[in-house]
Amino acid sequence: MAHAHPNPDAHDEEHNHGTRRSYLIGFALSVVLTAIPFWLVMADVIADTMVATIVIMAFGAVQIVVHMIYFLHMNTKSEGGWTMMAAIFTIIIIVIALSGSLWVMFHLNTNMMPGHIMNPADLL
């Protein structure tokens, strides 16, 4: 005969799979955090492109945190803290990738020859 566990929620506390409510909150936050930057770009709300880039990257960073909390269920308690170590590693890699990408794009834009116009007839 199977014995009932004295605390039926103990399994959920150990693994924290999330509830329907937490998934809906995560989904709503993801939609809002996607719609706002889309609107900022499409409506040309921010005139300065550097400020717009920083604002959009900030929204992206917040969205990554929302996904980690609401969908990946990362916290300091689960799996002995290893998920938090994975999260820290992920954050470091993302910062390197984003800052490196912005650095490369900025220098490509700066160092390309903006006054040089290529004539398509020269390619033939």
Side-chain angles (χ1 to χ4, degrees), residues 31-49:
V31 168
V32 168
L33 291 170
T34 300
I36 292 173
F38 184 79
W39 170 73
L40 289 174
V41 171
M42 294 305 290
D44 203 21
V45 174
I46 302 173
D48 186 12
T49 57

Side-chain angles (χ1 to χ4, degrees), residues 57 60-61 64 92-105:
M57 286 184 63
I64 289 170
I92 290 170
I93 295 298
I94 288 171
V95 166
I96 291 170
L98 289 177
S99 60
S101 297
L102 288 175
W103 179 72
V104 167
M105 287 187 285

Side-chain angles (χ1 to χ4, degrees), residues 57-100:
M57 286 184 63
F59 273 101
V62 172
Q63 191 167 91
I64 289 170
V65 172
V66 166
H67 282 254
M68 286 176 16
I69 292 170
Y70 287 99
F71 300 122
L72 299 177
H73 312 294
M74 288 187 167
N75 57 34
T76 56
K77 298 173 191 160
S78 62
E79 297 185 28
W82 280 107
T83 56
M84 188 53 62
M85 292 298 290
I88 291 169
F89 178 73
T90 302
I91 290 168
I92 290 170
I93 295 298
I94 288 171
V95 166
I96 291 170
L98 289 177
S99 60

Side-chain angles (χ1 to χ4, degrees), residues 7-26:
N7 184 1
D9 295 327
H11 178 74
D12 289 335
E13 289 173 5
E14 292 173 9
H15 297 290
N16 192 15
H17 292 293
T19 62
R20 183 181 306 218
R21 182 177 183 267
S22 71
Y23 282 120
L24 289 174
I25 290 171

